[in-house]
């Protein structure tokens, strides 16, 4: 809820209410982001506390000390002396930190920081308004310097980075300020850069080349993860992704950070370059490094460099050239056990509970060992054929002996471990049953090249019961509609959703033409 007077605004979300004076960066569309973050941190807190108790128990047993198991009686809104510490480095109004304090049990301290003096004052006032002074400590500081101050002592259990735009300037300090096994929550909203519109900018910010392809949202997630991993590796640390999401206009990752110089060596096997065909949108991944088992000592692993490239000069399927992107994170995006725990324990009182339930249900079904994905309309459009029903295509892939799943990032996604030649053979079989007009098969086009090749065998499109995922059968809200008219990230430090954004759009219509017209008039007068 959001009410406004000439001088102030009042925003209510979850159990928190905040007041601000003047413009404030608040986007109601990101309520899902905050609700999900609360659910993830709750699950992490239980897991982290169990791990700490297990370590203490082992240590006491080794020292022959009697172990007493204390039942966890912590509750949300009450300071827990042996609880977790949270840093919200870019807090703005303090809404997120206040919600964390009032809705997450087992918290010792939350630092709500912002570099803006006005924002810091707003945080202080809102903390008092919500009665969480014992839990939330307002801070007026540069986020990077604040995290550097905590890199040796008083590290945080949880660090939440939700910046406007690119988060990479905060990563070096964040991976040092987080405790062993701690949780990083990181958002990126510069999707145009991550999705391939500006590969040179993507490289300068994230250290990877982005590609314009149908699976660009997953590519964006994997670029962000490799960037976090590269920062962590510099300090002998590495990440383990718990959950990685693409939602609305942003991506959000939840990763744990651990230390271990030997474990960092495995990073080269978790990163890959992407070869993307410019004609048919096929893709192949080429890892930076491979693992080899030692024949003499099976517990010892050798690290090797792969030979390549894995593609020829032109695409084997359509004859067009490739673009090379990456490196990207090619290891799993999620921890299924952790996601299942979040799914099972998410509170129905959350405003976006049905969306959390729907998105996580699809995440749980995603193939972990099949990076990137195709889309149904792109596969059909490439060869100008009638679009097959999704269940028919999924059944054909399963009938061919491969796995297939949706991804939460696209409702027409086809994520599979089938190689591209099998995918195109299946589409060729579909085209035989649904002939393409010869007028559309232009010489040299991807369609003409692909359909000129005979499929290796006749693939069956007979519908299989297991082609229909459980999330679809259960009727979960799996793929979201746009949450508001003219929705988007808005402008920095301004609420730009709904009517306000519509009015701005109207004011800007024809702006360039008006400017050109004015310049022409001035030139004529001169």
């Amino acid at each position: 809820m959001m009410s406004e007077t000439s001088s102030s605004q009042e925003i209510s979300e979850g159990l928190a209410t905040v007041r601000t004076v003047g413009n404030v960066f608040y986007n109601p569309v990101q309520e899902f982001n905050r609700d999900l973050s609360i659910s993830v941190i709750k699950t992490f807190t239980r897991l982290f506390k169990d791990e700490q108790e297990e370590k203490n128990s082992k240590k006491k047993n080794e020292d022959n000390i009697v172990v007493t198991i204390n039942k966890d009686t912590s509750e949300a809104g009450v300071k827990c002396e042996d609880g977790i510490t949270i840093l919200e480095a870019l807090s703005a109004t303090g809404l997120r930190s206040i919600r964390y304090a009032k809705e997450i049990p087992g918290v010792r301290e939350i630092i709500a920081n912002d570099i803006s003096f006005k924002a810091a004052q707003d945080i202080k006032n809102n903390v008092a308004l919500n009665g969480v002074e014992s839990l939330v400590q307002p801070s007026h500081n540069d986020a990077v310097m604040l995290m550097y101050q905590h890199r040796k002592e008083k590290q945080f259990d949880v660090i939440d980075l939700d910046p406007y735009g690119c988060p990479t300037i905060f990563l070096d300090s964040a991976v040092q300020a987080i405790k062993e096994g701690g949780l990083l929550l990181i958002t990126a909203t510069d999707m145009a850069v991550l999705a391939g519109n500006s590969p040179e900018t993507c490289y300068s910010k994230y250290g990877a080349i982005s590609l314009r392809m149908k699976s660009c949202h997953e590519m964006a997630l994997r670029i962000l993860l490799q960037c976090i991993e590269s920062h962590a590796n510099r300090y002998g640390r590495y990440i383990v992704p718990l959950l990685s999401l693409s939602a609305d206009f942003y991506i959000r990752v939840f990763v744990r950070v651990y230390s271990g110089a030997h474990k960092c060596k495995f990073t080269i096997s978790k990163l890959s370059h992407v070869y993307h065909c410019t004609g048919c949108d096929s893709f192949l991944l080429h890892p930076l490094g491979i693992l080899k088992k030692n024949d003499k000592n099976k517990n010892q692993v050798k690290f090797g460099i792969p030979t390549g490239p894995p593609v020829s000069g032109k695409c084997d399927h359509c004859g067009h050239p490739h673009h090379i992107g990456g490196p990207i994170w090619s290891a799993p995006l999620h921890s299924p056990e952790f996601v299942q725990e979040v799914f099972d324990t998410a509170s129905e009182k959350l405003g976006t509970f049905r969306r959390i339930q729907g998105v996580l249900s699809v995440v749980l079904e995603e193939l972990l060992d099949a990076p990137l994905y195709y889309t149904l309309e792109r596969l059909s459009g490439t060869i100008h054929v009638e679009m097959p029903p999704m269940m028919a295509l999924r059944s054909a892939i399963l009938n061919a002996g491969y796995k297939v799943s949706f991804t939460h990032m696209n409702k027409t996604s086809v994520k599979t471990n089938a190689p591209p030649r099998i995918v195109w053979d299946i589409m060729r079989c579909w085209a035989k049953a649904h002939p393409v007009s010869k007028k559309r098969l232009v010489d040299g086009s991807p369609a003409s090249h692909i359909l000129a090749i005979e499929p290796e065998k006749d693939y069956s499109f007979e519908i299989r019961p297991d082609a229909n995922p459980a999330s679809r059968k259960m009727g979960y809200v799996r793929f979201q509609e746009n949450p508001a008219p003219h929705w988007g990230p808005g402008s920095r430090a301004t609420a730009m959703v709904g009517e306000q954004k519509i009015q701005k759009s109207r004011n800007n219509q024809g702006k360039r033409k008006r400017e050109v017209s004015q310049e022409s008039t001035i030139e004529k007068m001169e």
Side-chain angles (χ1 to χ4, degrees):
M1 185 187 83
M2 187 171 177
S3 60
E4 185 173 349
T5 66
S6 58
S7 59
S8 67
Q9 299 179 67
E10 186 172 287
I11 301 163
S12 294
E13 185 181 286
L15 299 181
T17 299
V18 296
R19 291 178 188 151
T20 62
V21 178
N23 288 335
V24 56
F25 185 70
Y26 170 73
N27 195 338
V29 173
Q30 284 209 330
E31 181 180 359
F32 168 72
N33 181 326
R34 291 181 278 269
D35 284 354
L36 182 62
S37 299
I38 287 168
S39 300
V40 168
I41 296 175
K42 276 184 178 180
T43 302
F44 166 77
T45 303
R46 291 194 299 271
L47 176 66
F48 193 63
K49 192 164 187 178
D50 289 345
E51 290 173 352
Q52 297 301 315
E53 288 178 355
E54 186 178 347
K55 286 180 182 178
N56 294 335
S57 176
K58 285 181 179 179
K59 188 175 181 181
K60 288 178 180 178
N61 284 331
E62 288 172 359
D63 297 336
N64 296 320
I65 299 173
V66 177
V67 180
T68 304
I69 299 175
N70 297 317
K71 190 176 180 181
D72 185 13
T73 57
S74 59
E75 58 180 289
V78 178
K79 188 181 183 74
C80 178
E81 292 301 334
D82 61 345
I84 65 168
T85 56
I86 302 173
L87 168 66
E88 188 195 359
L90 309 157
S91 193
T93 62
L95 172 63
R96 187 184 295 257
S97 289
I98 293 168
R99 287 198 62 191
Y100 287 173
K102 300 186 81 170
E103 299 179 43
I104 299 175
V107 175
R108 183 171 84 233
E109 182 184 41
I110 300 171
I111 295 180
N113 176 73
D114 204 283
I115 196 171
S116 162
F117 177 76
K118 177 188 174 301
Q121 288 298 113
D122 283 343
I123 293 168
K124 185 177 180 180
N125 295 333
N126 288 324
V127 166
L129 175 66
N130 287 271
V132 289
E133 298 97 322
S134 63
L135 281 170
V136 183
Q137 178 185 335
S139 169
H140 174 221
N141 210 330
D142 178 272
V144 172
M145 294 309 299
L146 177 61
M147 287 187 284
Y148 276 136
Q149 290 166 13
H150 287 261
R151 70 186 186 277
K152 296 294 184 184
E153 297 178 356
K154 296 183 179 179
Q155 291 174 308
F156 300 100
D157 299 301
V158 177
I159 296 178
D160 192 332
L161 296 171
D162 192 5
Y164 182 92
C166 177
T168 53
I169 60 171
F170 305 104
L171 297 183
D172 187 78
S173 53
V175 297
Q176 297 182 74
I178 196 76
K179 275 186 185 175
E180 178 70 11
L183 178 68
L184 283 180
L185 303 83
I186 300 173
T187 302
T189 63
D190 54 338
M191 291 303 293
V193 171
L194 285 164
N197 284 358
S198 183
E200 69 285 355
T201 304
C202 187
Y203 183 79
S204 66
K205 289 184 175 182
Y206 293 92
I209 298 292
S210 56
L211 296 173
R212 294 190 70 174
M213 55 193 302
K214 285 298 181 180
S215 54
C216 59
H217 288 165
E218 183 173 333
M219 185 90 170
L221 278 172
R222 294 183 180 278
I223 287 174
L224 176 57
L225 287 173
Q226 73 80 29
C227 187
I228 302 169
E229 176 81 345
S230 68
H231 281 85
N233 284 172
R234 295 165 197 170
Y235 304 99
R237 313 195 85 178
Y238 62 97
I239 66 170
V240 175
L242 299 179
L243 176 62
S244 308
L245 289 179
S246 171
D248 300 328
F249 51 82
Y250 61 90
I251 54 174
R252 176 87 157 159
V253 296
F254 305 82
V255 303
R256 295 189 71 176
V257 180
Y258 296 93
S259 300
H262 179 67
K263 289 283 188 180
C264 289
K265 294 180 180 180
F266 287 81
T267 294
I268 62 169
S269 65
K270 301 174 186 175
L271 304 179
S272 298
H273 285 293
V274 180
Y275 288 81
H276 171 237
C277 176
T278 57
C280 64
D281 217 38
S282 299
F283 54 84
L284 279 172
L285 272 66
H286 196 219
L288 270 62
I290 54 176
L291 306 180
K292 299 177 181 178
K293 291 242 178 131
N294 192 330
D295 295 333
K296 296 180 180 179
N297 185 354
K298 292 185 179 180
N299 294 325
Q300 188 178 13
V301 176
K302 288 186 176 182
F303 302 91
I305 299 174
T307 58
V311 297
S312 56
K314 291 187 177 180
C315 176
D316 294 337
H317 315 291
C318 73
H320 281 63
H322 294 89
H323 281 156
I324 306 174
I328 66 168
W329 178 268
S330 51
L333 292 175
H334 322 288
S335 165
E337 297 79 14
F338 184 86
V339 176
Q340 185 66 59
E341 183 69 17
V342 177
F343 179 85
D344 292 338
T345 58
S347 172
E348 294 185 17
K349 294 180 181 179
L350 294 170
T352 61
F353 169 74
R354 290 187 69 243
R355 183 177 181 184
I356 291 173
Q357 184 186 53
V359 170
L360 293 186
S361 68
V362 181
V363 167
L364 285 168
E365 294 167 347
E366 288 182 13
L367 295 179
L368 292 177
D369 57 350
L372 307 181
Y373 56 89
Y374 304 93
T375 61
L376 187 61
E377 65 273 16
R378 177 61 172 157
L379 288 172
S380 305
T382 298
I383 57 175
H384 309 300
V385 71
E386 176 187 328
M387 191 181 297
M390 178 60 82
M391 290 305 106
L393 180 60
R394 286 169 62 93
S395 295
I397 294 172
L398 291 170
N399 289 330
Y402 295 94
K403 298 176 183 177
V404 65
S405 76
F406 282 104
T407 169
H408 72 278
M409 302 172 218
N410 192 305
K411 63 183 177 181
T412 63
S413 55
V414 180
K415 181 181 275 289
T416 177
N417 63 344
R421 63 179 179 81
I422 299 296
V423 173
W424 285 119
D425 263 2
I426 290 172
M427 292 305 297
R428 289 184 187 105
C429 290
W430 178 261
K432 279 191 171 185
H434 304 79
V436 181
S437 171
K438 292 183 179 180
K439 293 180 181 178
R440 310 201 70 179
L441 299 180
V442 180
D443 287 341
S445 68
S448 64
H449 201 109
I450 290 170
L451 294 179
I453 303 171
E454 282 294 316
E456 292 181 1
K457 66 177 186 177
D458 189 18
Y459 290 95
S460 170
F461 289 87
E462 183 180 349
I463 302 297
R464 293 171 51 127
D466 55 345
N468 193 13
S471 60
R472 190 167 180 260
K473 294 176 184 175
M474 295 293 290
Y476 291 136
V477 184
R478 302 178 303 150
F479 304 105
Q480 311 303 311
E481 298 294 332
N482 289 350
H486 295 256
W487 65 283
S491 301
R492 189 189 300 269
T494 308
M496 293 297 295
V497 175
E499 289 301 322
Q500 286 179 295
K501 193 161 186 181
I502 292 171
Q503 188 57 48
K504 182 180 178 182
S505 297
R506 287 172 181 162
N507 293 339
N508 286 337
Q509 282 178 4
K511 183 178 178 181
R512 289 184 179 179
K513 290 182 179 180
R514 291 198 301 271
E515 290 174 351
V516 171
S517 177
Q518 289 173 1
E519 289 175 2
S520 301
T521 303
I522 293 171
E523 288 176 0
K524 288 178 181 179
M525 291 175 65
E526 290 175 348

